[in-house]
Amino acid sequence: LKVKEAYGELYFPILKDLPFAQELSLNLAGRVSDYGGASSATGTVYAYNIQGIFAPIEDIRLRAAYATS
């Protein structure tokens, strides 16, 4: 069984150290896996993750995410 994989991640800091936005950021990640070979019926599999973080003040942080695996 031969497995080939690739992975990438991007981080976007949108706002930082403002009066009502201590942090606002977006994180994107993805992975592709190819389970090749004659004995494998799986084929190519994709997975990704999208995450946003908002911190209005230093002591409060809100995070929302959507992911597949």
Side-chain angles (χ1 to χ4, degrees), residues 26-30 46-53 63-69:
L26 181 66
N27 189 1
L28 307 172
Y46 301 94
Y48 60 90
N49 182 357
I50 301 167
Q51 177 177 280
I53 297 175
R63 180 174 57 188
Y66 181 80
T68 65
S69 61

Side-chain angles (χ1 to χ4, degrees), residues 30-44:
R31 176 184 303 269
V32 60
S33 302
D34 181 29
Y35 298 93
S39 63
S40 174
T42 304
T44 303

Side-chain angles (χ1 to χ4, degrees), residues 6-62:
Y7 176 80
E9 187 169 350
L10 297 170
Y11 174 73
F12 299 100
I14 299 167
L15 298 174
K16 185 174 172 92
D17 297 330
L18 296 176
F20 291 101
Q22 187 71 26
E23 176 187 357
L24 178 62
S25 61
L26 181 66
N27 189 1
L28 307 172
R31 176 184 303 269
V32 60
S33 302
D34 181 29
Y35 298 93
S39 63
S40 174
T42 304
T44 303
V45 178
Y46 301 94
Y48 60 90
N49 182 357
I50 301 167
Q51 177 177 280
I53 297 175
F54 174 61
I57 60 174
E58 189 174 343
D59 295 331
I60 297 174
R61 178 172 294 204
L62 306 170

